[in-house]
Amino acid sequence: MSIRTSTFSHSESFKQIPPTIIVIFGASGDLTARKLAPAIFNLSKDELLPSECFLIGYGRKKISDSQFRDYLKMSLDAHSRRDIRPETWSRLVQNISFHAGEYDDLESFKNLSSKITEIEKTLSKEVQCLFYVSTPPGVFKPILENLGASGLAKRHRRKEIESKVIIEKPFGRDLMSAKELNNIVNHRFEETQVFRIDHYLGKETVQSLLVQRFANSIFEPIWNRNYVSCVQITVSENLGVGSRGGYYDRSGALRDMMQNHVMQLLALTAMEPPSSLNPEAIRNEKVKALQAIKPLVLGGKSSEIVRGVYTQGLVEDEKAKGYLQEVGIPSNSTTETFAALCLQIENWRWKGVPFYLRSGKRLARKASEIIVQFKRPPEILFGLDSKYSLSPNLLVIRIQPNEGITLYLNSKSPGLETRLQPIELAFGYETTFGSNTPEAYERLILDSLNGDGTLFIRGDEAETSWGILSPVLDYWDGLGVLGLEKYASGTWGPLEADKLLLARGHEWLTGKKYQ
Ligand code: BG6
């Protein structure tokens, strides 16, 4: 068994990848067109994939190789961050094919296996397979079972080139279904072969969070209950559900965003320093931080949860319809498009520091931010007199857009009178490093081919996160429409979300205090 080092050590990440076959299940779907095909081709353009790299699309539609190739070409023209030159395309296109088959038909998987063996024979080399499960979650189970039954899961087991499987979100829809899915996965694959994807972990700024925390000595000593007053994580979108109403209405903000993306940001912010950059060392610490979260108070005066649904309003000066008027949404839907939580992490570092999380659609603007709000200095010299208006120090980590970090400090504004004013020490990714950084899916596909699970969710991590949120889902299910607060599109969500913080002496900072 090879020793796996983390994605943070670049020499390892960019090692030579052996001949590879990437099989995408759900190949004619939206994700393949918008994200997966562009990521694979940009990796190829950067020569990070081997020249012997094959792409097999697997899907139920009976389409020919050439139809699939045309579809991919169109997708790339529409979505790739860089142009694909004709000569690059003509080199790649020969290695693209389509395999039509049902997901619950073992024969189709056996045929796929024969196709893979054929490729190996032609190359006279052993090939590693990456199976990308990018279908609706309803067919995850038969695909995983048939990968097992056809022997594809076991190809070259325990060698560097053992089969790998990427599983798209959602990984389950509650704790029980996540456990069931983990059972199916664990019967067919070793955990080292499994890559549960959360594309937020592939974002450049999210990867950088660990570096900021642990490659700088000034943050760690103050990253705890003695100095931090609260942590706020906002992942807001100004878009509505668009054409995804059918999927979204069965999901909602808690399942779609909170359980995965937002909880991952929390885990990275709250975790203890890992003992090494080994993927397991990092993921162990994330799991420990999640395990330390106290069960949420669901009802009554000290309730720690808020949910809402958007009504019509103005988003960036454009009229937006309400959720219930969106295509595919039943008029009696009780699905939340906004959720806010106040979590308490019961460990030595964080006891007493609220972690406020919120995520929603049709909010005022798109923003993913982590804000660490520090305690006020003692009001002895400044702060007693209102003219000094002492603001708390803030560390704002902007994941997107306008990626960067800003530290807010109090300073004296120029003049003969002493007046305090918050000032910004700001770092912007684009200003410092330029634009056109790789997309999250590029990083994640490359890491999975390298067998590096650092930026993926381990089975126990998914279950721990569901363990915190499943009771909330059950509670809301029982309430029906009761407590589902309305908010106008283009605002920052329901008033109750503001009250959640006000009751604890805080206020949301993203979108309010500063822009
Ligand atoms: C996806 C959700 O996981 O993340 C979508 O299913 C959401 O509903 C999207 O719009 C947001 O991703 P990003 O990268 O645009 O912030």
Side-chain angles (χ1 to χ4, degrees):
M1 187 73 141
S2 62
I3 297 191
R4 292 168 202 274
T5 45
S6 123
T7 195
F8 292 100
S9 96
H10 273 230
S11 55
E12 277 292 320
S13 294
F14 287 18
K15 73 183 181 207
Q16 196 71 41
I17 294 175
T20 293
I21 299 176
I22 302 176
V23 181
I24 303 181
F25 294 99
S28 53
D30 185 52
L31 190 72
T32 306
R34 281 188 307 108
K35 299 288 181 191
L36 307 186
I40 292 168
F41 290 110
N42 277 292
L43 286 173
S44 171
K45 191 175 166 102
D46 288 334
E47 296 181 10
L48 292 167
L49 297 182
S51 55
E52 290 139 333
C53 182
F54 297 80
L55 177 62
I56 303 179
Y58 188 118
R60 287 186 287 210
K61 282 190 191 152
K62 294 206 168 28
I63 57 174
S64 66
D65 289 349
S66 77
Q67 282 171 314
F68 183 56
R69 289 167 182 167
D70 290 346
Y71 171 73
L72 288 191
K73 180 69 174 59
M74 263 169 41
S75 310
L76 292 177
D77 291 340
H79 302 291
S80 171
R81 72 184 164 92
R82 294 180 301 192
D83 290 342
I84 303 291
R85 294 214 187 98
E87 57 273 21
T88 324
W89 177 248
S90 53
R91 178 167 50 81
L92 297 171
V93 74
Q94 310 144 25
N95 290 355
I96 300 174
S97 60
F98 192 78
H99 186 86
E102 294 296 322
Y103 298 123
D104 56 0
D105 176 29
L106 180 56
E107 257 336 280
S108 301
F109 281 74
K110 286 187 177 159
N111 293 340
L112 175 67
S113 179
S114 314
K115 196 167 188 168
I116 290 169
T117 314
E118 273 308 304
I119 297 177
E120 272 188 333
K121 274 193 197 142
T122 325
L123 293 176
S124 311
K125 281 184 193 159
E126 291 184 328
V127 171
Q128 85 165 333
C129 286
L130 172 66
F131 300 104
Y132 200 124
V133 184
S134 158
T135 57
V139 287
F140 284 3
K141 188 173 166 212
I143 294 174
L144 295 164
E145 284 173 347
N146 280 329
L147 283 174
S150 60
L152 286 165
K154 284 214 173 84
R155 294 184 91 255
H156 308 303
R157 182 61 69 83
R158 297 214 164 78
K159 293 189 192 169
E160 287 253 346
I161 57 164
E162 67 185 352
S163 292
K164 291 154 181 96
V165 61
I166 298 185
I167 306 172
E168 258 303 328
K169 67 174 272 267
F171 194 82
R173 51 178 290 108
D174 52 21
L175 178 58
M176 208 163 71
S177 53
K179 279 188 171 169
E180 270 171 32
L181 202 51
N182 267 338
N183 272 340
I184 295 168
V185 171
N186 296 340
H187 271 95
R188 277 109 196 145
F189 295 90
E190 303 278 341
E191 184 63 33
T192 51
Q193 296 176 271
V194 184
F195 299 85
R196 295 171 196 79
I197 205 161
D198 180 326
H199 78 278
Y200 264 59
L201 292 179
K203 289 185 191 277
E204 194 62 48
T205 33
V206 176
Q207 293 170 53
S208 177
L209 187 55
L210 281 190
V211 179
Q212 278 142 28
R213 278 197 60 194
F214 303 125
N216 294 299
S217 54
I218 60 165
F219 295 126
E220 203 41 32
I222 57 171
W223 209 258
N224 57 49
R225 69 188 145 82
N226 297 325
Y227 293 89
V228 176
S229 167
C230 72
V231 177
Q232 306 189 4
I233 303 180
T234 294
V235 179
S236 61
E237 294 180 276
N238 52 4
L239 295 178
V241 291
S243 57
R244 297 168 73 224
Y247 151 78
Y248 194 86
D249 201 57
R250 272 177 279 116
S251 191
L254 211 70
R255 289 189 173 96
D256 186 48
M257 299 293 285
M258 197 67 92
Q259 186 274 336
N260 34 68
H261 308 324
V262 186
M263 292 299 275
Q264 283 298 314
L265 296 182
L266 173 139
L268 289 169
T269 309
M271 67 189 259
E272 294 299 313
S275 57
S276 75
L277 289 179
N278 179 289
E280 296 323 315
I282 294 175
R283 298 198 290 188
N284 286 344
E285 294 307 334
K286 277 164 60 195
V287 174
K288 277 195 244 165
L290 294 174
Q291 282 169 338
I293 293 174
K294 218 175 95 193
L296 280 155
V297 177
L298 302 178
K301 274 200 174 150
S302 49
S303 170
E304 293 172 331
I305 58 172
V306 172
R307 64 177 171 150
V309 61
Y310 63 81
T311 56
Q312 62 181 28
L314 277 184
V315 180
E316 291 175 353
D317 297 332
E318 300 251 326
K319 269 193 181 167
K321 43 181 153 170
Y323 180 68
L324 295 182
Q325 285 77 53
E326 300 272 17
V327 180
I329 308 300
S331 57
N332 60 351
S333 165
T334 57
T335 301
E336 80 289 352
T337 59
F338 174 96
L341 311 174
C342 167
L343 291 172
Q344 301 286 342
I345 303 180
E346 295 276 279
N347 63 14
W348 193 262
R349 184 188 287 268
W350 293 118
K351 172 84 183 159
V353 180
F355 278 68
Y356 302 115
L357 275 44
R358 69 174 166 172
S359 181
K361 297 222 181 264
R362 279 283 187 239
L363 297 180
R365 65 180 165 89
K366 184 168 174 72
S368 300
E369 289 185 349
I370 302 167
I371 301 184
V372 182
Q373 177 174 334
F374 293 93
K375 291 187 171 166
R376 285 171 186 277
E379 293 174 349
I380 300 169
L381 304 177
F382 303 105
L384 275 179
D385 187 328
S386 62
K387 78 175 181 177
Y388 291 134
S389 75
L390 199 58
S391 306
N393 297 135
L394 305 175
L395 182 71
V396 180
I397 301 166
R398 285 188 309 280
I399 311 292
Q400 63 185 23
N402 194 13
E403 291 79 349
I405 303 173
T406 306
L407 179 63
Y408 286 78
L409 302 174
N410 288 306
S411 182
K412 178 187 171 302
S413 55
L416 299 178
E417 221 185 334
T418 302
R419 288 204 175 272
L420 264 58
Q421 186 180 323
I423 52 118
E424 305 172 9
L425 301 185
F427 150 73
Y429 265 77
E430 198 166 328
T431 327
T432 308
F433 299 121
S435 54
N436 215 4
T437 47
E439 288 258 342
Y441 279 91
E442 292 174 45
R443 162 95 266 163
L444 295 173
I445 290 175
L446 184 65
D447 284 358
S448 60
L449 288 171
N450 276 320
D452 182 342
T454 314
L455 300 176
F456 293 85
I457 299 178
R458 213 168 54 189
D460 54 347
E461 216 174 327
E463 287 183 21
T464 312
S465 177
W466 276 122
I468 298 155
L469 299 183
S470 265
V472 182
L473 291 165
D474 293 343
Y475 177 71
W476 283 345
D477 265 358
L479 288 183
V481 78
L482 208 71
L484 180 63
E485 309 294 342
K486 296 193 166 92
Y487 62 97
S489 293
T491 63
W492 281 99
L495 273 181
E496 275 61 24
D498 293 336
K499 291 188 198 154
L500 183 76
L501 271 67
L502 284 177
R504 291 160 177 91
H506 294 117
E507 64 176 324
W508 292 107
L509 296 166
T510 298
K512 296 233 167 128
K513 200 87 184 167
Y514 66 93
Q515 285 292 328

